Amino acid sequence: MDFLANHILSVVLFTPLLGALVLLFIPREMENAHKIAGNVFGALGFLVSLPLLRWWNPGEKPFSFEESAEWIPSIGARYHLGIDGISLLLVMLTTFLGMIAILSSWSAIHQRTKEYYILLLLLQSGMIGVFVSLDFFLFYVFWEVMLVPMYFLIGVWGSDRRLYAAIKFFLYTLAGSVVMLLAILALYFYAPVPAGGTRTFDVPTLLAAAQHFSDPLKVWLFWGFFFAFAIKVPMFPFHTWLPDAHTEAPTAGSVILAGVLLKMGTYGFIRFSLPLLPGDGPLRSRIIHIVIVLSLIGIIYGALVCLMQKDMKRLIAYSSVSHLGFCTLGIFALTPNGLAGSVLQQINHGISTGALFLIVGVLYERRHTRMISEFGGLATPMPNFAAIYLIISLSSLGMPLLNGFIGEFTILQGAFQVSKAWAAWGSLGVVLGAAYLLWLYQRVMFGPVTQFANEDLPDLNLREYATLVPLVILAFWIGIYPKPFFALIEKPVQKIVEQVNPNFYQAEHTKLPPAEFHAAAAETK
């Protein structure tokens, strides 16, 4: 028990990898055995992560469950793991959605099932590794390892244009990764070496050293990391790989891609980009305004493009561009509400958009088409499906008492504290989100059954209920009682804001609006 408590992050990290190794020894022709083993290790991956919640007790240290061991001492790379409240939520989202995505594949994948489940489990380990690594070298290894399974999942089990989508995904992400590698090396070599010590890739050490770099150097480092994370989110105008990858990927691949992979970009912004912002001045102001403008364009542009889509999956893919724009808006507002709302909205997006892709997968398995024009009146043959689909749509558009509302409201509140214009443009994205989601639901579910093939479509089966109902429960839980989620991220959010925007707390302490506080501070100087 002590071993488990001391190495719980390693157990969570390598359980899916163990499942992939077990699958290697199952003969290729035993298709059902592949499915059973894949689902067993998918569920086990989630179960072994539950003690993280049970044992979570953040103290004075910034990271909990830390593990550190020598790995490549000649270059200063260590096997260093640890999580804070933000990482914890993202790890739980990864293990939970991974389990559901694997279960959703039961009747969808019939060829090369052995390789399929191995790649899904490898992808799971890679994503968890990104969220728990506290060594830049280790982080980069997991960041790159994650690329390979997703490339093959799209390229082998995807739709008609799968090779084009897989190569585009790989090249875009790899381009960002190379620039990030240069930024990591710059951090590594510019950080001072302690007397008698050696260089290190340790994340807290290098980010602390970066606080003493010159502002021009910080700006170059910021943009180096920003480029990689903006592609992964993806922010406008780096988003063009996303609709193709989402549309061509198998259902489980789309769920993982939307639910978890995109959050690696927003996590990178929070963990690495914010500490590299230059000090107060025109440089910082210019950077913040550029990122906020790109976020607002992404929110509105993504929503408008959704209104023009004919393919359900492509529509939901573009909705991710809009929803992730809210997350980056909250992050770079540099306020506690904006940052906390952004983290919660990342979890919300994983739940709601992951469920929407599962819903499209249910229809695709029955009709083998994703075109909106091929559906209509499905509420008649599939009433239970219609009810769950409506709840998830309302969750995604931000209806009160569902999860999306809490996240969007908190982000807009945080943005409003800095600029009323930012909040106003963001609110337009909420309105457009309701427009495309409700219009899609109305065309697919309401009215008479327009296609003969839709008249006798079966309603949800037990396995499909098992994938969708937990997501519906989570949507209501976060929407009605979000306190436990905010409690997890309160301390890390406060620490980040104190570090990157200390004037905010000073302004709050003086009870003056930020603009008046800065004016008073200037007069004092």
Side-chain angles (χ1 to χ4, degrees), residues 438-467:
L438 291 178
W439 191 34
L440 172 65
Y441 187 84
Q442 178 250 322
R443 285 181 288 170
V444 172
M445 305 308 297
F446 290 159
V449 178
T450 54
Q451 299 279 345
F452 175 76
N454 296 333
E455 289 182 355
D456 299 315
L457 288 182
D459 211 337
L460 296 173
N461 59 38
L462 188 61
R463 179 184 56 81
E464 290 162 345
Y465 277 121
T467 60

Side-chain angles (χ1 to χ4, degrees), residues 138-166:
L138 187 64
F139 170 82
Y140 189 78
V141 167
F142 282 120
W143 181 276
E144 290 293 272
V145 162
M146 171 279 311
L147 269 179
V148 179
M150 183 53 77
Y151 170 80
F152 284 111
L153 285 169
I154 298 171
V156 176
W157 291 275
S159 303
D160 298 338
R161 298 174 73 243
R162 56 186 179 271
L163 288 178
Y164 168 77

Side-chain angles (χ1 to χ4, degrees), residues 47-298:
L47 291 175
V48 297
S49 68
L50 290 176
L52 292 174
L53 296 173
R54 179 73 178 84
W55 298 338
W56 180 253
N57 184 24
E60 295 302 314
K61 289 185 176 181
F63 297 100
S64 300
F65 304 116
E66 277 197 73
E67 299 177 37
S68 184
E70 290 284 351
W71 183 29
I72 313 177
S74 58
I75 62 171
R78 295 182 64 83
Y79 176 76
H80 188 189
L81 309 180
I83 57 173
D84 60 7
I86 296 170
S87 313
L88 174 62
L89 280 181
L90 290 169
V91 168
M92 295 307 301
L93 178 71
T94 305
T95 59
F96 180 67
L97 279 184
M99 175 183 67
I100 286 178
I102 292 172
L103 181 57
S104 74
S105 305
W106 186 277
S107 59
I109 304 298
H110 303 288
Q111 295 180 335
R112 299 181 178 177
T113 53
K114 177 177 179 174
E115 293 87 348
Y116 177 83
Y117 286 103
I118 287 174
L119 289 171
L120 268 183
L121 291 167
L122 285 176
L123 182 61
Q124 183 95 331
S125 278
M127 294 183 301
I128 293 170
V130 167
F131 296 132
V132 301
S133 296
L134 290 181
D135 182 276
F136 271 115
F137 192 87
L138 187 64
F139 170 82
Y140 189 78
V141 167
F142 282 120
W143 181 276
E144 290 293 272
V145 162
M146 171 279 311
L147 269 179
V148 179
M150 183 53 77
Y151 170 80
F152 284 111
L153 285 169
I154 298 171
V156 176
W157 291 275
S159 303
D160 298 338
R161 298 174 73 243
R162 56 186 179 271
L163 288 178
Y164 168 77
I167 292 170
K168 193 173 182 181
F169 160 76
F170 194 91
L171 291 179
Y172 262 75
T173 310
L174 190 63
S177 300
V178 170
V179 179
M180 180 172 69
L181 178 61
L182 293 176
I184 290 172
L185 290 174
L187 262 177
Y188 177 73
F189 284 110
Y190 276 103
V193 182
T198 57
R199 295 194 182 277
T200 179
F201 281 100
D202 186 64
V203 170
T205 302
L206 289 184
L207 291 181
Q211 302 309 306
H212 304 290
F213 291 171
S214 65
D215 279 354
L217 176 57
K218 279 186 177 180
V219 169
W220 282 109
L221 290 171
F222 175 88
W223 288 121
F225 282 103
F226 175 88
F227 187 60
F229 300 144
I231 288 174
K232 185 68 78 178
V233 168
M235 290 184 71
F236 177 91
F238 307 106
H239 66 283
T240 55
W241 65 268
L242 179 71
D244 294 307
H246 268 324
T247 305
E248 304 305 324
T251 297
S254 296
V255 172
I256 292 296
L257 194 58
V260 184
L261 251 72
L262 307 188
K263 312 309 179 301
M264 289 163 57
T266 49
Y267 174 77
F269 281 144
I270 294 169
R271 180 71 72 226
F272 307 122
S273 294
L274 290 186
L276 293 173
L277 279 171
D280 276 341
L283 272 177
R284 167 184 282 222
S285 180
R286 201 173 301 131
I287 288 172
I288 294 296
H289 278 86
I290 289 171
V291 179
I292 292 293
V293 167
L294 291 179
S295 300
L296 293 172
I297 291 173

Side-chain angles (χ1 to χ4, degrees), residues 272-424:
F272 307 122
S273 294
L274 290 186
L276 293 173
L277 279 171
D280 276 341
L283 272 177
R284 167 184 282 222
S285 180
R286 201 173 301 131
I287 288 172
I288 294 296
H289 278 86
I290 289 171
V291 179
I292 292 293
V293 167
L294 291 179
S295 300
L296 293 172
I297 291 173
I299 289 171
I300 296 168
Y301 165 81
L304 289 173
V305 175
C306 284
L307 291 166
M308 307 299 293
Q309 298 306 310
K310 298 178 180 178
D311 184 313
M312 293 175 69
K313 215 172 181 185
R314 203 169 182 85
L315 186 153
I316 297 166
Y318 272 110
S319 77
S320 291
V321 177
S322 184
H323 286 135
L324 269 295
F326 279 102
C327 294
T328 51
L329 172 64
I331 291 169
F332 287 93
L334 302 183
T335 60
N337 282 337
L339 195 54
S342 173
V343 175
L344 188 64
Q345 190 63 4
Q346 291 169 44
I347 306 303
N348 294 338
H349 177 264
I351 293 166
S352 303
T353 307
L356 285 173
F357 278 117
L358 288 172
I359 283 165
V360 176
V362 168
L363 294 179
Y364 186 76
E365 281 190 41
R366 286 158 171 74
R367 286 291 322 278
H368 301 288
T369 180
R370 299 183 301 263
M371 303 307 292
I372 299 170
S373 59
E374 288 293 315
F375 298 100
L378 293 189
T380 302
M382 304 174 71
N384 296 333
F385 172 81
I388 288 179
Y389 181 15
L390 179 60
I391 293 169
I392 296 299
S393 294
L394 294 176
S395 155
S396 187
L397 65 84
M399 176 66 70
L401 296 185
L402 288 165
N403 57 342
F405 172 75
I406 300 296
E408 288 178 353
F409 179 83
T410 315
I411 288 170
L412 292 175
Q413 186 182 17
F416 190 89
Q417 290 176 287
V418 183
S419 167
K420 296 180 178 65
W422 296 354

